[in-house]
């Protein structure tokens, strides 16, 4: 709590409401002197940091090992002792994708390594006898194998659209999709397509999760008593559950990049991965059972049904998103 002197002026600086005591009854702002010494600034920073740290570790502990506890505490009104659900999700999401961006995936590393090897081999092959062959080989390595994608040129497609039979012609939407696909494959190698796709996918995962969460909460709303549970309640449960999934993913990612990179103890990372994935898959059931208070059998049945419904919906969304990323590569 701040120890700054209380202002003599009883008018709140934030909302202009009359403040009889230390805190404004209208907006909650502390009616203290806004000009602070370095001492007050340091003390205020230390108090906020200590409170945040205590709340943070308490929140993480409950999130990992006590399914639904955070949701029940939050909805019961005990909110100052924990991080707010939205802030928690944003914080974990930020840290997770920051670390992912800092450490390239094995696919990207291999692609980069292959490109460097091709370039190095091409530069070394400078003899007259092999120069022409290596030049042709290098150009082939940088060109898309059209047979792999099985795409006709736009000239062929335009010819079919103009002179072909009605059954052979594309609709306007199909033609647009095909034109985009041909443009991507003509201007990018296979390696470039994969690398750009991975990079775009990683950077946009938060957007995908934000899109999925309202639907996840909606499915929970459908399967539970509408009078007892509001959509808001399901939303808080969803935020905590997705925060847990992201946190487990973050922990496993760190384990793989640290312990997994050391050969003699790499098996430890495999064990942690196995335990983490099992806990990730199982977590929803006890969280659902404890939060909604239904019998174990009913909760198990609903958990299984919700798992398959959400898995199908997520898969469908990812398919559309993959197509979107592919068609928007440059």
């Amino acid at each position: 709590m701040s120890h700054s002197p209380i202002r003599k002026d009883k008018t709140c600086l934030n909302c202009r409401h009359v403040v009889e005591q230390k805190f404004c009854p209208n907006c909650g702002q502390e009616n203290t002197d806004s000009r602070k010494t370095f001492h007050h600034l340091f003390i205020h920073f230390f108090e906020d940091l200590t409170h945040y740290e205590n709340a943070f570790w308490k929140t993480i502990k409950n999130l990992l090992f006590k399914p639904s506890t955070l949701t029940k505490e939050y909805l019961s009104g005990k909110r100052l002792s924990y991080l707010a659900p939205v802030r928690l999700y944003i914080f974990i999401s930020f840290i997770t994708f920051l670390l992912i961006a800092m450490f390239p995936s094995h696919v990207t590393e291999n692609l980069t390594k292959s490109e460097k090897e091709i370039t190095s081999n091409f530069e070394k092959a400078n003899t007259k006898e092999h120069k022409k062959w290596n030049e042709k080989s290098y150009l082939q390595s940088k060109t898309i194998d059209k047979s792999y994608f099985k795409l006709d040129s736009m000239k062929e497609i335009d010819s079919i659209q103009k002179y072909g039979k009605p059954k052979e012609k594309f609709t306007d939407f199909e033609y647009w999709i095909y034109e985009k696909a041909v443009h991507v494959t003509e201007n990018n190698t296979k390696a470039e397509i994969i690398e750009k796709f991975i990079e775009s996918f990683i950077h946009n995962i938060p957007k995908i999760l934000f899109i999925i969460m309202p639907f996840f909460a909606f499915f929970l709303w459908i399967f539970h008593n509408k009078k007892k549970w509001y959509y808001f309640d399901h939303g808080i449960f969803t935020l905590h559950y997705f925060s847990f999934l992201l946190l487990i993913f973050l922990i496993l990612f760190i384990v793989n990049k640290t312990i997994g990179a050391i050969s003699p103890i790499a098996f430890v990372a495999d064990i942690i991965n196995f335990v983490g994935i099992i806990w990730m898959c199982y977590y929803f059931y006890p969280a659902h059972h404890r939060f909604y208070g239904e019998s174990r059998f009913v909760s198990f049945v609903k958990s299984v049904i919700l798992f398959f419904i959400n898995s199908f919906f997520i898969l469908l969304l990812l398919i559309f998103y993959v197509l979107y990323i592919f068609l928007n590569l440059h």
Side-chain angles (χ1 to χ4, degrees), residues 41-95:
L41 182 64
F42 177 79
I43 295 298
H44 184 68
F45 170 77
F46 181 76
E47 289 174 345
D48 284 352
L49 181 64
T50 304
H51 172 73
Y52 181 82
E53 184 179 355
N54 291 336
F56 173 77
W57 291 114
K58 187 177 181 181
T59 301
I60 295 300
K61 179 181 177 182
N62 281 278
L63 182 66
L64 281 175
F65 305 111
K66 296 182 178 180
S68 84
T69 297
L70 287 179
T71 311
K72 293 171 71 174
E73 292 280 89
Y74 182 85
L75 293 178
S76 67
K78 300 177 182 178
R79 302 178 181 181
L80 288 179
S81 300
Y82 307 95
L83 294 187
V86 175
R87 182 182 297 180
L88 173 66
Y89 177 81
I90 292 175
F91 178 79
I92 297 176
S93 178
F94 173 77
I95 297 298

Side-chain angles (χ1 to χ4, degrees), residues 10-26:
K10 298 299 182 180
T11 304
C12 177
L13 294 172
N14 182 54
C15 67
R16 313 308 297 175
H17 195 80
V18 177
V19 184
E20 297 294 343
Q21 299 180 359
K22 190 170 184 177
F23 295 93
C24 175
N26 186 48

Side-chain angles (χ1 to χ4, degrees), residues 157-183:
I157 296 301
D158 288 336
S159 178
I160 293 174
Q161 289 293 96
K162 189 173 182 179
Y163 304 108
K165 298 177 182 179
K167 293 182 179 180
E168 297 175 341
K169 295 181 179 180
F170 290 149
T171 63
D172 291 340
F173 178 73
E174 291 172 338
Y175 181 84
W176 177 79
I177 293 288
Y178 199 94
E179 185 180 25
K180 284 279 189 179
V182 170
H183 173 76

Side-chain angles (χ1 to χ4, degrees), residues 51-149:
H51 172 73
Y52 181 82
E53 184 179 355
N54 291 336
F56 173 77
W57 291 114
K58 187 177 181 181
T59 301
I60 295 300
K61 179 181 177 182
N62 281 278
L63 182 66
L64 281 175
F65 305 111
K66 296 182 178 180
S68 84
T69 297
L70 287 179
T71 311
K72 293 171 71 174
E73 292 280 89
Y74 182 85
L75 293 178
S76 67
K78 300 177 182 178
R79 302 178 181 181
L80 288 179
S81 300
Y82 307 95
L83 294 187
V86 175
R87 182 182 297 180
L88 173 66
Y89 177 81
I90 292 175
F91 178 79
I92 297 176
S93 178
F94 173 77
I95 297 298
T96 300
F97 299 110
L98 176 64
L99 289 179
I100 289 176
M102 291 173 61
F103 296 95
S105 64
H106 293 301
V107 176
T108 304
E109 290 173 349
N110 293 334
L111 290 173
T112 304
K113 184 178 179 181
S114 299
E115 291 289 338
K116 289 180 178 179
E117 288 177 353
I118 291 172
T119 305
S120 177
N121 292 334
F122 174 68
E123 290 175 349
K124 290 179 181 179
N126 54 7
T127 61
K128 292 182 179 179
E129 183 178 353
H130 297 91
K131 185 176 180 180
K132 187 175 181 180
W133 182 87
N134 279 284
E135 190 175 78
K136 182 179 179 182
S137 176
Y138 176 74
L139 291 174
Q140 286 177 343
S141 69
K142 296 291 290 180
T143 305
I144 289 296
D145 179 7
K146 300 297 181 183
S147 63
Y148 178 81
F149 292 95

